[in-house]
Amino acid sequence: MRAIVSLFFICFLLSCKAQKTVVTSDKNTTVMHSKPKLVIGIVVDQMRYDYLTRFYNKYGEGGFKRLITQGFNCKNNHFNYVPTYTGPGHASIYSGTTPKMHGIISNNWYDKVSDSYVYCAGDTTVQSVGTSHKAGQMSPHRLKTTSFADQNRLFTQMKGKTIGISVKDRGAILPAGHTANAAYWFHGADQGRFISSTYYLEALPSWVNVFNNKAVAESYLKEWNTLYDINTYTESGSDLNTFEGGFKGKETATFPYDLKALSKDNRGYDIIKATPYGNSIVADFAIAAITGEQLGQDDFTDVLTVSFSSTDYVGHNFGVNSKEVQDTYLRLDKDIERLLTALDDKVGQGNYTLFLSSDHGAVEVPSYLQSVKIPAGYFDADDFKNRLNETMIFNHKAEKLIKNISNNQVFLDRKVIKDYGLNLAQVQQEIVNTIIDYPSINKAYTATSMSNTEFSNGIESLLQKGYNQKRSGDVLFVLDPAVISYSKTGSTHGSALNYDTHVPLLFYGNGIQKGSTLQHTTIPDIAPTMSALLGISFPNGATGKPLEFVIQK
């Protein structure tokens, strides 16, 4: 009898423990491990995969290297759709699906219903919190699906917190999802403070006000010089060249930069965003949030999303081969080390799980590629629009058949086509047949083909996964490799090519195997993997798959 009671007691304890654990299994064993108290998702904006390897020997031991050597490195991780922009990237990482499902087809896009441009996070029905400026009129209302953070909130009966942080509003809002306790982003201009919107709360919490009142932003209006001797930055090009933009008020894009002096001609505190210090202030704020929100301090898993977006501003301005980009990543390495140290101290090693990825990569500056005899170039979008409009008018003796051309898509006026008795599918195909002969156009497809044909591989498949039937255009076109519609200085992104799709994916911490793989993984795999680790439902539109080899058995 005593043995039976003892066995019952042991089973009862295991049952109680299982309520706070996730069960993982293979064919031979079933093992239970405690859930992490905190999940941290880090997105490094515009981070190509080769930034991990190119600058590896210059990184310290406590940042990127710690995540690589003590975590799991997916070396062949790609976006499986286009366009590769910030809004869609953040939405896809956290929702586990692509624009076809989650609906964030770009940062800004032409809306066919309202006949106007909309912003992926813009929302005039909410008000700013923390500023009187309209910069706070933002929410995730255009995101059509849930994030894994939403699913965690639902699973914990809203007891697990979600906090989103970035210098960009969309970088804070889209990852945090619909049910977040708060999302905070940096408003520069003449204020230099973190703000939010009434979608989340009516007033900033006291810890946010304390942070803003410390004038942290002002402390970063200082000299930006290289972290180490610039002569040791052998992994990047020369400091003085013709491929970089620079700041207004300074003749050359060369170190050092007096940010306080330059801020007057570069939108005040906004200049911080375009330097490594934009990442530093995000790290400062994230560390403050861990304490201020008491993240990871109870039995309900919390989620903290952190987007380091200054890497994107620097890349756009100076280009992927610049000394400025290298210095930005060496400094980001230090900021990530600071964040990990704070997590160790405040949450405890083994009590948190972290992943790091990117929302897109970036192309080498085409003018630089041309200088070393690699095919590249620039696409004149205005000339393209004029030529196509003239062709359509000539062919059909009808004006305004085309309503809009943006994001490499052509939007037709369905009413005009109907009034002229034209067939929509035929007009779409006519445009494809016309523009495929234009210089720098590599491929073109109709919306009809995107809807009626299933593409299983190639750029066509990536286009289809980025095509949203209600929001996308009538014709989609793809430019030649390394051809961009952009200035002749600095880098950009958006294509289906490896320089834009190949980005890091690192997992670290509670429940994560140590190791690496060259197996092909995709961005939509991240959210299902985190959901599986937590033992919660996948995001409602998820199309990715859990990466079993990442999770400890």
Side-chain angles (χ1 to χ4, degrees):
M1 182 67 180
R2 183 177 299 174
I4 294 173
V5 172
S6 298
L7 180 61
F8 175 81
F9 184 67
I10 292 170
C11 291
F12 174 76
L13 290 177
L14 288 174
S15 176
C16 291
K17 178 176 175 60
Q19 293 178 31
K20 298 178 183 178
T21 62
V22 177
V23 179
T24 58
S25 64
D26 58 26
K27 292 180 179 178
N28 302 312
T29 61
T30 298
V31 179
M32 292 186 291
H33 59 82
S34 298
K35 282 188 181 183
K37 290 179 176 293
L38 178 62
V39 171
I40 308 95
I42 295 178
V43 177
V44 182
D45 205 321
Q46 201 187 115
M47 185 175 186
R48 292 160 52 113
Y49 176 80
D50 65 352
Y51 290 159
L52 281 182
T53 55
R54 191 169 128 207
F55 306 137
Y56 187 85
N57 291 332
K58 296 290 196 297
Y59 290 141
E61 297 300 318
F64 287 118
K65 280 186 178 179
R66 176 178 172 182
L67 298 180
I68 292 169
T69 59
Q70 299 180 37
F72 198 95
N73 183 6
C74 298
K75 300 179 179 180
N76 190 20
N77 182 63
H78 290 262
F79 280 87
N80 63 342
Y81 67 85
V82 285
T84 41
Y85 295 138
T86 297
H90 282 78
S92 299
I93 288 169
Y94 286 87
S95 70
T97 190
T98 69
K100 180 178 181 178
M101 282 294 296
H102 63 60
I104 305 299
I105 63 170
S106 187
N107 295 332
N108 302 273
W109 66 85
Y110 172 73
D111 180 58
K112 293 181 278 191
V113 177
S114 64
D115 190 22
S116 63
Y117 280 96
V118 297
Y119 175 56
C120 63
D123 188 351
T124 57
T125 68
V126 300
Q127 301 304 313
S128 301
V129 174
T131 180
S132 59
H133 193 275
K134 64 181 181 180
Q137 290 188 288
M138 304 288 166
S139 84
H141 75 109
R142 288 195 171 89
L143 178 65
K144 297 167 72 70
T145 58
T146 61
S147 69
F148 84 80
D150 286 323
Q151 298 301 148
N152 183 66
R153 291 273 285 159
L154 293 170
F155 183 85
T156 61
Q157 302 302 310
M158 302 296 172
K159 295 182 179 70
K161 285 186 175 181
T162 299
I163 303 294
I165 297 169
S166 179
V167 294
K168 288 183 179 179
D169 47 50
R170 59 186 179 273
I173 290 168
L174 296 174
H178 301 278
T179 60
N181 298 82
Y184 301 103
W185 53 96
F186 183 74
H187 177 50
D190 60 347
Q191 297 183 3
R193 54 193 288 112
F194 280 88
I195 65 171
S196 190
S197 89
T198 54
Y199 178 87
Y200 305 101
L201 33 75
E202 295 300 318
L204 294 178
S206 58
W207 71 266
V208 178
N209 286 325
V210 168
F211 184 93
N212 284 334
N213 291 337
K214 286 181 178 178
V216 179
E218 187 160 352
S219 72
Y220 285 119
L221 287 180
K222 58 183 180 179
E223 182 181 81
W224 174 23
N225 207 341
T226 52
L227 182 62
Y228 307 115
D229 182 349
I230 195 170
N231 294 311
T232 67
Y233 284 27
T234 54
E235 295 79 14
S236 49
S238 61
D239 192 29
L240 179 62
N241 58 71
T242 60
F243 312 120
E244 303 176 13
F247 295 114
K248 292 179 181 178
K250 193 173 190 301
E251 289 187 7
T252 60
T254 54
F255 284 105
Y257 299 94
D258 183 345
L259 300 183
K260 190 169 184 63
L262 292 170
S263 66
K264 299 173 184 178
D265 294 324
N266 293 272
R267 292 181 50 80
Y269 289 109
D270 277 332
I271 196 172
I272 295 172
K273 299 178 183 179
T275 75
Y277 302 136
N279 292 329
S280 297
I281 199 171
V282 165
D284 295 339
F285 192 78
I287 292 168
I290 295 168
T291 300
E293 295 289 344
Q294 291 293 290
L295 299 177
Q297 300 304 310
D298 57 29
D299 292 332
F300 301 100
T301 301
D302 299 320
V303 176
L304 174 64
T305 74
V306 181
S307 181
F308 290 110
S309 299
S310 291
T311 43
D312 184 65
Y313 290 108
V314 175
H316 276 295
N317 191 355
F318 297 98
V320 305
N321 196 43
S322 63
K323 299 285 191 216
E324 287 80 2
V325 160
Q326 178 164 1
D327 191 68
T328 296
Y329 276 90
L330 297 184
R331 290 179 180 273
L332 175 60
D333 183 56
K334 299 294 186 185
D335 287 324
I336 290 174
E337 181 176 3
R338 283 200 298 126
L339 179 57
L340 290 172
T341 299
L343 288 166
D344 292 342
D345 293 342
K346 298 174 187 293
V347 183
Q349 289 193 46
N351 288 330
Y352 64 89
T353 304
L354 179 150
F355 70 81
L356 182 149
S357 191
S358 180
D359 54 349
H360 54 74
V363 66
E364 292 269 10
V365 180
S367 56
Y368 167 69
L369 292 178
Q370 290 172 332
S371 74
V372 293
K373 301 180 181 179
I374 293 176
Y378 294 90
F379 181 69
D380 189 332
D382 290 333
D383 179 65
F384 173 76
K385 292 177 184 179
N386 291 335
R387 290 178 62 186
L388 184 56
N389 272 310
E390 289 171 1
T391 299
M392 297 306 292
I393 292 171
F394 179 81
N395 289 350
H396 297 285
K397 307 296 187 265
E399 296 190 11
K400 300 181 180 179
L401 283 176
I402 297 174
K403 261 199 162 184
N404 181 271
I405 302 176
S406 57
N407 291 317
N408 290 2
Q409 298 178 66
V410 179
F411 294 82
L412 297 172
D413 191 320
R414 306 287 181 94
K415 185 177 183 304
V416 171
I417 287 174
K418 183 177 180 180
D419 289 345
Y420 277 84
L422 301 174
N423 180 279
L424 177 62
Q426 289 178 357
V427 175
Q428 291 175 349
Q429 188 60 49
E430 178 188 347
I431 291 175
V432 167
N433 295 341
T434 299
I435 67 175
I436 199 64
D437 293 329
Y438 285 11
S440 300
I441 298 286
N442 185 29
K443 292 176 179 289
Y445 295 90
T446 67
T448 300
S449 65
M450 287 290 116
S451 298
N452 297 340
T453 306
E454 184 174 354
F455 299 101
S456 59
N457 52 52
I459 288 179
E460 296 80 1
S461 175
L462 274 66
L463 280 171
Q464 191 166 56
K465 290 183 177 69
Y467 173 78
N468 184 278
Q469 192 172 15
K470 291 192 71 170
R471 294 180 175 178
S472 297
D474 290 280
V475 172
L476 293 72
F477 60 90
V478 177
L479 301 179
D480 284 337
V483 172
I484 60 176
S485 180
Y486 200 66
S487 68
K488 293 194 175 182
T489 57
S491 299
T492 193
H493 48 87
S495 79
L497 294 157
N498 285 321
Y499 50 73
D500 282 336
T501 66
H502 190 193
V503 297
L505 177 54
L506 305 174
F507 293 93
Y508 172 86
N510 184 311
I512 301 300
Q513 293 273 23
K514 292 182 181 179
S516 65
T517 184
L518 281 169
Q519 181 176 327
H520 185 269
T521 61
T522 67
I523 286 295
D525 297 334
I526 298 172
T529 301
M530 300 312 298
S531 295
L533 180 72
L534 296 177
I536 63 177
S537 296
F538 292 2
N540 60 15
T543 52
K545 62 183 184 302
L547 302 175
E548 294 185 64
F549 46 80
V550 166
I551 301 175
Q552 284 181 350
K553 296 293 194 292

